[in-house]
Amino acid sequence: MLRLPPIPVHRPSTVSEAVDLLVNHAGARPLAGGTDLLVALKLGHHHGASLVSLGGLGLRGMDTSDGALAVGAGTSLWELARAPLPPGLGALGEAARLVAAPPIQSRATVGGNLCLDTRCWFFNQSAFWRSGRPACFKAGGDRCHVVPRGDRCHAVHQADLAPVLLACGAEVRVEGPGGERWMDLEDLYSGDGRRPLTLSAGELVTEVRVPLPEGGAVAYEKLRMRAALDFAAAAAAVYLERRDGTCTRARVVLGGVGSRPLRVPEAEAALTGSALGEDALRAAAEAVRAATRPVKNTDLTPAYRRRMAGVLVRRAAQRAWARAAEEVTR
Ligand SMILES: Cc1cc2nc3c(=O)[nH]c(=O)nc-3n(C[C@H](O)[C@H](O)[C@H](O)COP(=O)(O)OP(=O)(O)OC[C@H]3O[C@@H](n4cnc5c(N)ncnc54)[C@H](O)[C@@H]3O)c2cc1C
Ligand code: SF4
């Protein structure tokens, strides 16, 4: 059995206290629901860390009074999954329900999901298991066991909310030593499996804002080994806007096939201006397959995940299209 090592936990009551603690304690890490971070600590990652609990910062809650859906970073996935969501955004709740299983959803937070670390068969193992090989890039070493001649870490981004929120054009509020700023969610991700977020030391995600769709809707599809629990081996979120039977805007985002949620502009171009007929769907699926290069570091083979990425985009596009039609006639 893996045990949690003794580890100091700070319990600030304001965001600025939390930021100060993160800046002034080397190795301090934000602790939200802990459903991923505590597992990582048990596996021997982040040696010598201390934790800064975000639970007392009042970052919980949802609001639509300002022309957008605002979700506090401390809102649990359980709350998001059961909240009445604005028209067209129901897939946010569906994605929350697809994370792990209900006991985990009740602790896991929206901010923790967006800031989830990337994963890899060779890294998400105990320290003892990993000691059988030289350290890889993500563990501070100088090689990758998955892509041996590669020069970077290819660990996979598998958070379920990120593709959906990114497809909806969400922004995040970041608070840190330099004050507060807003950024496109897309810019939160670096694409480097070793250090997947662009946040600077001491910065926290405190809120997500999603524009309310106008004649649009989003849908999410996830492929995983066990429907009751597993991370995405591939996933697709598609947001579509529909006017007079024509798709006027499309955003296509993949999860589980690379080190960041991956937007596919070629697939978006294939859908935009179409009536979502067979030719457009086939072109979008082909564009997705061409843009995707998964490697062998999670469940299922890379070839299957790549093929399924196209299938998932097709399914998500069809569901988003039908939902957008409901929004138009509402
Ligand atoms: C068995 C199991 C199955 C799982 N299956 C899935 C799955 O199917 N899909 C999925 O997406 N996830 C899955 N997870 C991972 C995890 O449960 C979720 O991603 C969850 O949403 C993480 O949120 P948390 O609040 O628990 O984050 P934590 O574990 O507390 O934190 C995760 C990371 O984010 C950082 N962080 C947290 N909050 C912030 C913030 N506000 N600002 C900056 N950094 C922050 C932490 O420092 C840490 O690095 C699974 C976990 C387990 C144990
Ligand atoms: S992809 Fe390579 S460098 Fe990254 S965690 Fe896996 S083995 Fe390590």
Side-chain angles (χ1 to χ4, degrees), residues 265-302:
E266 298 81 3
E268 295 172 0
L271 297 174
T272 307
S274 80
L276 238 76
E278 182 53 31
D279 287 351
L281 289 169
R282 190 179 305 123
E286 275 165 18
V288 162
R289 284 192 280 267
T292 316
R293 290 273 176 280
V295 296
K296 192 163 179 47
N297 58 356
T298 188
D299 295 334
L300 305 173
T301 65

PDB file of all heavy atoms in Angstrom, residues 265-302:
ATOM      1  N   PRO A 265      -7.868  23.571 -36.392  1.00  0.00           N
ATOM      2  CA  PRO A 265      -8.478  24.574 -37.271  1.00  0.00           C
ATOM      3  C   PRO A 265      -8.946  23.988 -38.603  1.00  0.00           C
ATOM      4  O   PRO A 265      -9.954  24.441 -39.160  1.00  0.00           O
ATOM      5  CB  PRO A 265      -7.343  25.589 -37.496  1.00  0.00           C
ATOM      6  CG  PRO A 265      -6.342  25.334 -36.416  1.00  0.00           C
ATOM      7  CD  PRO A 265      -6.493  23.909 -36.006  1.00  0.00           C
ATOM      8  N   GLU A 266      -8.245  22.970 -39.125  1.00  0.00           N
ATOM      9  CA  GLU A 266      -8.635  22.395 -40.424  1.00  0.00           C
ATOM     10  C   GLU A 266     -10.015  21.717 -40.313  1.00  0.00           C
ATOM     11  O   GLU A 266     -10.823  21.775 -41.245  1.00  0.00           O
ATOM     12  CB  GLU A 266      -7.596  21.368 -40.901  1.00  0.00           C
ATOM     13  CG  GLU A 266      -6.199  21.938 -41.136  1.00  0.00           C
ATOM     14  CD  GLU A 266      -5.378  22.082 -39.851  1.00  0.00           C
ATOM     15  OE1 GLU A 266      -5.876  21.691 -38.761  1.00  0.00           O
ATOM     16  OE2 GLU A 266      -4.255  22.613 -39.928  1.00  0.00           O
ATOM     17  N   ALA A 267     -10.275  21.086 -39.178  1.00  0.00           N
ATOM     18  CA  ALA A 267     -11.587  20.453 -38.981  1.00  0.00           C
ATOM     19  C   ALA A 267     -12.662  21.526 -38.818  1.00  0.00           C
ATOM     20  O   ALA A 267     -13.790  21.382 -39.309  1.00  0.00           O
ATOM     21  CB  ALA A 267     -11.549  19.547 -37.751  1.00  0.00           C
ATOM     22  N   GLU A 268     -12.308  22.614 -38.142  1.00  0.00           N
ATOM     23  CA  GLU A 268     -13.264  23.719 -37.968  1.00  0.00           C
ATOM     24  C   GLU A 268     -13.628  24.304 -39.336  1.00  0.00           C
ATOM     25  O   GLU A 268     -14.798  24.582 -39.620  1.00  0.00           O
ATOM     26  CB  GLU A 268     -12.647  24.795 -37.071  1.00  0.00           C
ATOM     27  CG  GLU A 268     -12.395  24.284 -35.659  1.00  0.00           C
ATOM     28  CD  GLU A 268     -11.597  25.252 -34.788  1.00  0.00           C
ATOM     29  OE1 GLU A 268     -11.227  26.340 -35.280  1.00  0.00           O
ATOM     30  OE2 GLU A 268     -11.348  24.915 -33.619  1.00  0.00           O
ATOM     31  N   ALA A 269     -12.602  24.448 -40.204  1.00  0.00           N
ATOM     32  CA  ALA A 269     -12.852  25.005 -41.540  1.00  0.00           C
ATOM     33  C   ALA A 269     -13.748  24.070 -42.350  1.00  0.00           C
ATOM     34  O   ALA A 269     -14.596  24.521 -43.131  1.00  0.00           O
ATOM     35  CB  ALA A 269     -11.523  25.237 -42.258  1.00  0.00           C
ATOM     36  N   ALA A 270     -13.569  22.758 -42.158  1.00  0.00           N
ATOM     37  CA  ALA A 270     -14.381  21.796 -42.917  1.00  0.00           C
ATOM     38  C   ALA A 270     -15.857  21.885 -42.525  1.00  0.00           C
ATOM     39  O   ALA A 270     -16.750  21.662 -43.353  1.00  0.00           O
ATOM     40  CB  ALA A 270     -13.854  20.377 -42.684  1.00  0.00           C
ATOM     41  N   LEU A 271     -16.126  22.213 -41.262  1.00  0.00           N
ATOM     42  CA  LEU A 271     -17.526  22.265 -40.798  1.00  0.00           C
ATOM     43  C   LEU A 271     -18.168  23.631 -41.058  1.00  0.00           C
ATOM     44  O   LEU A 271     -19.362  23.710 -41.361  1.00  0.00           O
ATOM     45  CB  LEU A 271     -17.582  21.954 -39.294  1.00  0.00           C
ATOM     46  CG  LEU A 271     -17.100  20.554 -38.887  1.00  0.00           C
ATOM     47  CD1 LEU A 271     -17.071  20.413 -37.371  1.00  0.00           C
ATOM     48  CD2 LEU A 271     -17.996  19.469 -39.488  1.00  0.00           C
ATOM     49  N   THR A 272     -17.374  24.694 -40.960  1.00  0.00           N
ATOM     50  CA  THR A 272     -17.936  26.045 -41.096  1.00  0.00           C
ATOM     51  C   THR A 272     -18.413  26.278 -42.529  1.00  0.00           C
ATOM     52  O   THR A 272     -17.710  25.963 -43.489  1.00  0.00           O
ATOM     53  CB  THR A 272     -16.875  27.106 -40.720  1.00  0.00           C
ATOM     54  OG1 THR A 272     -16.367  26.778 -39.430  1.00  0.00           O
ATOM     55  CG2 THR A 272     -17.477  28.506 -40.693  1.00  0.00           C
ATOM     56  N   GLY A 273     -19.623  26.820 -42.660  1.00  0.00           N
ATOM     57  CA  GLY A 273     -20.188  27.090 -43.985  1.00  0.00           C
ATOM     58  C   GLY A 273     -20.932  25.897 -44.563  1.00  0.00           C
ATOM     59  O   GLY A 273     -21.556  26.006 -45.616  1.00  0.00           O
ATOM     60  N   SER A 274     -20.879  24.757 -43.878  1.00  0.00           N
ATOM     61  CA  SER A 274     -21.573  23.569 -44.381  1.00  0.00           C
ATOM     62  C   SER A 274     -22.927  23.414 -43.690  1.00  0.00           C
ATOM     63  O   SER A 274     -23.225  24.109 -42.716  1.00  0.00           O
ATOM     64  CB  SER A 274     -20.734  22.311 -44.105  1.00  0.00           C
ATOM     65  OG  SER A 274     -20.912  21.907 -42.756  1.00  0.00           O
ATOM     66  N   ALA A 275     -23.717  22.460 -44.190  1.00  0.00           N
ATOM     67  CA  ALA A 275     -24.958  22.093 -43.509  1.00  0.00           C
ATOM     68  C   ALA A 275     -24.743  20.795 -42.734  1.00  0.00           C
ATOM     69  O   ALA A 275     -25.672  20.048 -42.468  1.00  0.00           O
ATOM     70  CB  ALA A 275     -26.081  21.934 -44.523  1.00  0.00           C
ATOM     71  N   LEU A 276     -23.511  20.534 -42.403  1.00  0.00           N
ATOM     72  CA  LEU A 276     -23.078  19.344 -41.672  1.00  0.00           C
ATOM     73  C   LEU A 276     -23.492  18.041 -42.372  1.00  0.00           C
ATOM     74  O   LEU A 276     -23.896  17.071 -41.734  1.00  0.00           O
ATOM     75  CB  LEU A 276     -23.558  19.354 -40.224  1.00  0.00           C
ATOM     76  CG  LEU A 276     -22.373  19.271 -39.261  1.00  0.00           C
ATOM     77  CD1 LEU A 276     -21.648  20.602 -39.178  1.00  0.00           C
ATOM     78  CD2 LEU A 276     -22.800  18.821 -37.896  1.00  0.00           C
ATOM     79  N   GLY A 277     -23.345  18.058 -43.671  1.00  0.00           N
ATOM     80  CA  GLY A 277     -23.611  16.842 -44.439  1.00  0.00           C
ATOM     81  C   GLY A 277     -22.438  15.877 -44.341  1.00  0.00           C
ATOM     82  O   GLY A 277     -21.419  16.155 -43.699  1.00  0.00           O
ATOM     83  N   GLU A 278     -22.594  14.749 -45.036  1.00  0.00           N
ATOM     84  CA  GLU A 278     -21.601  13.677 -44.958  1.00  0.00           C
ATOM     85  C   GLU A 278     -20.207  14.145 -45.401  1.00  0.00           C
ATOM     86  O   GLU A 278     -19.203  13.811 -44.774  1.00  0.00           O
ATOM     87  CB  GLU A 278     -22.092  12.493 -45.814  1.00  0.00           C
ATOM     88  CG  GLU A 278     -21.200  11.271 -45.808  1.00  0.00           C
ATOM     89  CD  GLU A 278     -20.875  10.763 -44.397  1.00  0.00           C
ATOM     90  OE1 GLU A 278     -21.708  10.922 -43.490  1.00  0.00           O
ATOM     91  OE2 GLU A 278     -19.763  10.222 -44.209  1.00  0.00           O
ATOM     92  N   ASP A 279     -20.136  14.955 -46.464  1.00  0.00           N
ATOM     93  CA  ASP A 279     -18.818  15.394 -46.963  1.00  0.00           C
ATOM     94  C   ASP A 279     -18.082  16.216 -45.908  1.00  0.00           C
ATOM     95  O   ASP A 279     -16.881  16.038 -45.683  1.00  0.00           O
ATOM     96  CB  ASP A 279     -18.974  16.241 -48.234  1.00  0.00           C
ATOM     97  CG  ASP A 279     -19.362  15.378 -49.428  1.00  0.00           C
ATOM     98  OD1 ASP A 279     -19.331  14.137 -49.279  1.00  0.00           O
ATOM     99  OD2 ASP A 279     -19.703  15.952 -50.477  1.00  0.00           O
ATOM    100  N   ALA A 280     -18.819  17.130 -45.266  1.00  0.00           N
ATOM    101  CA  ALA A 280     -18.184  17.992 -44.257  1.00  0.00           C
ATOM    102  C   ALA A 280     -17.729  17.165 -43.058  1.00  0.00           C
ATOM    103  O   ALA A 280     -16.622  17.361 -42.534  1.00  0.00           O
ATOM    104  CB  ALA A 280     -19.162  19.073 -43.811  1.00  0.00           C
ATOM    105  N   LEU A 281     -18.564  16.221 -42.635  1.00  0.00           N
ATOM    106  CA  LEU A 281     -18.198  15.390 -41.473  1.00  0.00           C
ATOM    107  C   LEU A 281     -16.977  14.534 -41.790  1.00  0.00           C
ATOM    108  O   LEU A 281     -16.070  14.384 -40.967  1.00  0.00           O
ATOM    109  CB  LEU A 281     -19.378  14.498 -41.073  1.00  0.00           C
ATOM    110  CG  LEU A 281     -20.556  15.237 -40.431  1.00  0.00           C
ATOM    111  CD1 LEU A 281     -21.776  14.323 -40.323  1.00  0.00           C
ATOM    112  CD2 LEU A 281     -20.178  15.764 -39.050  1.00  0.00           C
ATOM    113  N   ARG A 282     -16.952  13.980 -43.018  1.00  0.00           N
ATOM    114  CA  ARG A 282     -15.814  13.139 -43.394  1.00  0.00           C
ATOM    115  C   ARG A 282     -14.541  13.981 -43.462  1.00  0.00           C
ATOM    116  O   ARG A 282     -13.486  13.582 -42.970  1.00  0.00           O
ATOM    117  CB  ARG A 282     -16.075  12.451 -44.737  1.00  0.00           C
ATOM    118  CG  ARG A 282     -15.021  11.387 -45.019  1.00  0.00           C
ATOM    119  CD  ARG A 282     -15.220  10.642 -46.320  1.00  0.00           C
ATOM    120  NE  ARG A 282     -16.527  10.041 -46.453  1.00  0.00           N
ATOM    121  CZ  ARG A 282     -17.376  10.295 -47.453  1.00  0.00           C
ATOM    122  NH1 ARG A 282     -17.048  11.144 -48.403  1.00  0.00           N
ATOM    123  NH2 ARG A 282     -18.544   9.704 -47.512  1.00  0.00           N
ATOM    124  N   ALA A 283     -14.652  15.177 -44.033  1.00  0.00           N
ATOM    125  CA  ALA A 283     -13.467  16.051 -44.135  1.00  0.00           C
ATOM    126  C   ALA A 283     -12.967  16.443 -42.743  1.00  0.00           C
ATOM    127  O   ALA A 283     -11.755  16.490 -42.488  1.00  0.00           O
ATOM    128  CB  ALA A 283     -13.813  17.298 -44.944  1.00  0.00           C
ATOM    129  N   ALA A 284     -13.899  16.713 -41.820  1.00  0.00           N
ATOM    130  CA  ALA A 284     -13.485  17.084 -40.455  1.00  0.00           C
ATOM    131  C   ALA A 284     -12.773  15.912 -39.783  1.00  0.00           C
ATOM    132  O   ALA A 284     -11.724  16.083 -39.146  1.00  0.00           O
ATOM    133  CB  ALA A 284     -14.705  17.506 -39.637  1.00  0.00           C
ATOM    134  N   ALA A 285     -13.331  14.713 -39.934  1.00  0.00           N
ATOM    135  CA  ALA A 285     -12.712  13.530 -39.309  1.00  0.00           C
ATOM    136  C   ALA A 285     -11.326  13.284 -39.892  1.00  0.00           C
ATOM    137  O   ALA A 285     -10.374  12.962 -39.171  1.00  0.00           O
ATOM    138  CB  ALA A 285     -13.614  12.310 -39.502  1.00  0.00           C
ATOM    139  N   GLU A 286     -11.180  13.466 -41.205  1.00  0.00           N
ATOM    140  CA  GLU A 286      -9.864  13.258 -41.825  1.00  0.00           C
ATOM    141  C   GLU A 286      -8.867  14.309 -41.346  1.00  0.00           C
ATOM    142  O   GLU A 286      -7.702  14.007 -41.080  1.00  0.00           O
ATOM    143  CB  GLU A 286      -9.981  13.293 -43.354  1.00  0.00           C
ATOM    144  CG  GLU A 286     -10.366  11.930 -43.912  1.00  0.00           C
ATOM    145  CD  GLU A 286     -10.843  11.995 -45.360  1.00  0.00           C
ATOM    146  OE1 GLU A 286     -10.565  13.009 -46.025  1.00  0.00           O
ATOM    147  OE2 GLU A 286     -11.494  11.030 -45.795  1.00  0.00           O
ATOM    148  N   ALA A 287      -9.334  15.553 -41.214  1.00  0.00           N
ATOM    149  CA  ALA A 287      -8.445  16.621 -40.728  1.00  0.00           C
ATOM    150  C   ALA A 287      -7.966  16.309 -39.315  1.00  0.00           C
ATOM    151  O   ALA A 287      -6.801  16.544 -38.966  1.00  0.00           O
ATOM    152  CB  ALA A 287      -9.179  17.960 -40.760  1.00  0.00           C
ATOM    153  N   VAL A 288      -8.861  15.762 -38.508  1.00  0.00           N
ATOM    154  CA  VAL A 288      -8.495  15.416 -37.131  1.00  0.00           C
ATOM    155  C   VAL A 288      -7.441  14.309 -37.127  1.00  0.00           C
ATOM    156  O   VAL A 288      -6.439  14.380 -36.416  1.00  0.00           O
ATOM    157  CB  VAL A 288      -9.759  14.985 -36.351  1.00  0.00           C
ATOM    158  CG1 VAL A 288      -9.406  14.211 -35.099  1.00  0.00           C
ATOM    159  CG2 VAL A 288     -10.579  16.219 -36.005  1.00  0.00           C
ATOM    160  N   ARG A 289      -7.654  13.301 -37.950  1.00  0.00           N
ATOM    161  CA  ARG A 289      -6.671  12.204 -37.992  1.00  0.00           C
ATOM    162  C   ARG A 289      -5.316  12.719 -38.470  1.00  0.00           C
ATOM    163  O   ARG A 289      -4.273  12.338 -37.953  1.00  0.00           O
ATOM    164  CB  ARG A 289      -7.175  11.064 -38.876  1.00  0.00           C
ATOM    165  CG  ARG A 289      -8.243  10.237 -38.163  1.00  0.00           C
ATOM    166  CD  ARG A 289      -8.537   8.950 -38.907  1.00  0.00           C
ATOM    167  NE  ARG A 289      -9.433   9.168 -40.023  1.00  0.00           N
ATOM    168  CZ  ARG A 289     -10.757   9.046 -39.960  1.00  0.00           C
ATOM    169  NH1 ARG A 289     -11.326   8.696 -38.833  1.00  0.00           N
ATOM    170  NH2 ARG A 289     -11.507   9.262 -41.010  1.00  0.00           N
ATOM    171  N   ALA A 290      -5.335  13.629 -39.443  1.00  0.00           N
ATOM    172  CA  ALA A 290      -4.065  14.159 -39.966  1.00  0.00           C
ATOM    173  C   ALA A 290      -3.336  14.994 -38.916  1.00  0.00           C
ATOM    174  O   ALA A 290      -2.106  15.061 -38.905  1.00  0.00           O
ATOM    175  CB  ALA A 290      -4.338  15.003 -41.211  1.00  0.00           C
ATOM    176  N   ALA A 291      -4.101  15.626 -38.003  1.00  0.00           N
ATOM    177  CA  ALA A 291      -3.487  16.538 -37.027  1.00  0.00           C
ATOM    178  C   ALA A 291      -3.046  15.817 -35.760  1.00  0.00           C
ATOM    179  O   ALA A 291      -2.453  16.431 -34.874  1.00  0.00           O
ATOM    180  CB  ALA A 291      -4.492  17.632 -36.661  1.00  0.00           C
ATOM    181  N   THR A 292      -3.334  14.535 -35.649  1.00  0.00           N
ATOM    182  CA  THR A 292      -3.168  13.833 -34.376  1.00  0.00           C
ATOM    183  C   THR A 292      -2.031  12.822 -34.450  1.00  0.00           C
ATOM    184  O   THR A 292      -1.996  12.005 -35.372  1.00  0.00           O
ATOM    185  CB  THR A 292      -4.474  13.073 -34.042  1.00  0.00           C
ATOM    186  OG1 THR A 292      -5.563  13.935 -34.309  1.00  0.00           O
ATOM    187  CG2 THR A 292      -4.527  12.653 -32.605  1.00  0.00           C
ATOM    188  N   ARG A 293      -1.113  12.871 -33.497  1.00  0.00           N
ATOM    189  CA  ARG A 293      -0.003  11.914 -33.443  1.00  0.00           C
ATOM    190  C   ARG A 293       0.155  11.372 -32.021  1.00  0.00           C
ATOM    191  O   ARG A 293       1.144  11.670 -31.347  1.00  0.00           O
ATOM    192  CB  ARG A 293       1.320  12.585 -33.842  1.00  0.00           C
ATOM    193  CG  ARG A 293       1.435  12.965 -35.292  1.00  0.00           C
ATOM    194  CD  ARG A 293       1.978  11.797 -36.139  1.00  0.00           C
ATOM    195  NE  ARG A 293       1.993  12.152 -37.541  1.00  0.00           N
ATOM    196  CZ  ARG A 293       0.921  12.119 -38.337  1.00  0.00           C
ATOM    197  NH1 ARG A 293      -0.244  11.741 -37.860  1.00  0.00           N
ATOM    198  NH2 ARG A 293       1.008  12.456 -39.605  1.00  0.00           N
ATOM    199  N   PRO A 294      -0.816  10.597 -31.523  1.00  0.00           N
ATOM    200  CA  PRO A 294      -0.646  10.078 -30.161  1.00  0.00           C
ATOM    201  C   PRO A 294       0.537   9.116 -30.081  1.00  0.00           C
ATOM    202  O   PRO A 294       0.929   8.529 -31.096  1.00  0.00           O
ATOM    203  CB  PRO A 294      -1.964   9.348 -29.886  1.00  0.00           C
ATOM    204  CG  PRO A 294      -2.626   9.162 -31.191  1.00  0.00           C
ATOM    205  CD  PRO A 294      -2.037  10.125 -32.166  1.00  0.00           C
ATOM    206  N   VAL A 295       1.117   8.976 -28.910  1.00  0.00           N
ATOM    207  CA  VAL A 295       2.215   8.020 -28.714  1.00  0.00           C
ATOM    208  C   VAL A 295       1.778   6.983 -27.689  1.00  0.00           C
ATOM    209  O   VAL A 295       0.733   7.121 -27.046  1.00  0.00           O
ATOM    210  CB  VAL A 295       3.514   8.735 -28.265  1.00  0.00           C
ATOM    211  CG1 VAL A 295       4.015   9.672 -29.348  1.00  0.00           C
ATOM    212  CG2 VAL A 295       3.297   9.485 -26.958  1.00  0.00           C
ATOM    213  N   LYS A 296       2.598   5.950 -27.527  1.00  0.00           N
ATOM    214  CA  LYS A 296       2.164   4.814 -26.723  1.00  0.00           C
ATOM    215  C   LYS A 296       2.488   5.042 -25.245  1.00  0.00           C
ATOM    216  O   LYS A 296       3.463   4.515 -24.716  1.00  0.00           O
ATOM    217  CB  LYS A 296       2.848   3.541 -27.230  1.00  0.00           C
ATOM    218  CG  LYS A 296       2.247   2.275 -26.663  1.00  0.00           C
ATOM    219  CD  LYS A 296       2.643   1.059 -27.462  1.00  0.00           C
ATOM    220  CE  LYS A 296       2.059  -0.214 -26.874  1.00  0.00           C
ATOM    221  NZ  LYS A 296       0.632  -0.121 -26.544  1.00  0.00           N
ATOM    222  N   ASN A 297       1.693   5.875 -24.577  1.00  0.00           N
ATOM    223  CA  ASN A 297       1.930   6.063 -23.142  1.00  0.00           C
ATOM    224  C   ASN A 297       0.644   6.113 -22.321  1.00  0.00           C
ATOM    225  O   ASN A 297       0.638   6.568 -21.192  1.00  0.00           O
ATOM    226  CB  ASN A 297       2.785   7.310 -22.877  1.00  0.00           C
ATOM    227  CG  ASN A 297       2.160   8.569 -23.433  1.00  0.00           C
ATOM    228  OD1 ASN A 297       1.125   8.523 -24.081  1.00  0.00           O
ATOM    229  ND2 ASN A 297       2.801   9.696 -23.172  1.00  0.00           N
ATOM    230  N   THR A 298      -0.458   5.622 -22.919  1.00  0.00           N
ATOM    231  CA  THR A 298      -1.683   5.464 -22.133  1.00  0.00           C
ATOM    232  C   THR A 298      -2.467   4.290 -22.716  1.00  0.00           C
ATOM    233  O   THR A 298      -1.962   3.588 -23.598  1.00  0.00           O
ATOM    234  CB  THR A 298      -2.493   6.779 -22.118  1.00  0.00           C
ATOM    235  OG1 THR A 298      -3.578   6.629 -21.200  1.00  0.00           O
ATOM    236  CG2 THR A 298      -3.048   7.145 -23.479  1.00  0.00           C
ATOM    237  N   ASP A 299      -3.699   4.071 -22.217  1.00  0.00           N
ATOM    238  CA  ASP A 299      -4.484   2.920 -22.680  1.00  0.00           C
ATOM    239  C   ASP A 299      -4.713   2.954 -24.194  1.00  0.00           C
ATOM    240  O   ASP A 299      -4.829   4.025 -24.778  1.00  0.00           O
ATOM    241  CB  ASP A 299      -5.867   2.932 -22.016  1.00  0.00           C
ATOM    242  CG  ASP A 299      -5.774   2.729 -20.521  1.00  0.00           C
ATOM    243  OD1 ASP A 299      -4.797   2.115 -20.072  1.00  0.00           O
ATOM    244  OD2 ASP A 299      -6.675   3.195 -19.807  1.00  0.00           O
ATOM    245  N   LEU A 300      -4.856   1.791 -24.796  1.00  0.00           N
ATOM    246  CA  LEU A 300      -5.205   1.600 -26.214  1.00  0.00           C
ATOM    247  C   LEU A 300      -4.055   2.040 -27.140  1.00  0.00           C
ATOM    248  O   LEU A 300      -3.227   2.873 -26.762  1.00  0.00           O
ATOM    249  CB  LEU A 300      -6.504   2.333 -26.572  1.00  0.00           C
ATOM    250  CG  LEU A 300      -7.707   1.953 -25.686  1.00  0.00           C
ATOM    251  CD1 LEU A 300      -8.912   2.837 -25.971  1.00  0.00           C
ATOM    252  CD2 LEU A 300      -8.070   0.493 -25.888  1.00  0.00           C
ATOM    253  N   THR A 301      -4.039   1.480 -28.342  1.00  0.00           N
ATOM    254  CA  THR A 301      -2.892   1.753 -29.223  1.00  0.00           C
ATOM    255  C   THR A 301      -3.002   3.149 -29.831  1.00  0.00           C
ATOM    256  O   THR A 301      -4.110   3.664 -30.043  1.00  0.00           O
ATOM    257  CB  THR A 301      -2.836   0.740 -30.386  1.00  0.00           C
ATOM    258  OG1 THR A 301      -4.004   0.943 -31.204  1.00  0.00           O
ATOM    259  CG2 THR A 301      -2.778  -0.692 -29.889  1.00  0.00           C
ATOM    260  N   PRO A 302      -1.854   3.762 -30.169  1.00  0.00           N
ATOM    261  CA  PRO A 302      -1.900   5.083 -30.798  1.00  0.00           C
ATOM    262  C   PRO A 302      -2.725   5.075 -32.090  1.00  0.00           C
ATOM    263  O   PRO A 302      -3.483   6.017 -32.353  1.00  0.00           O
ATOM    264  CB  PRO A 302      -0.424   5.386 -31.087  1.00  0.00           C
ATOM    265  CG  PRO A 302       0.325   4.609 -30.060  1.00  0.00           C
ATOM    266  CD  PRO A 302      -0.470   3.354 -29.840  1.00  0.00           C
TER     267      PRO A 302
END
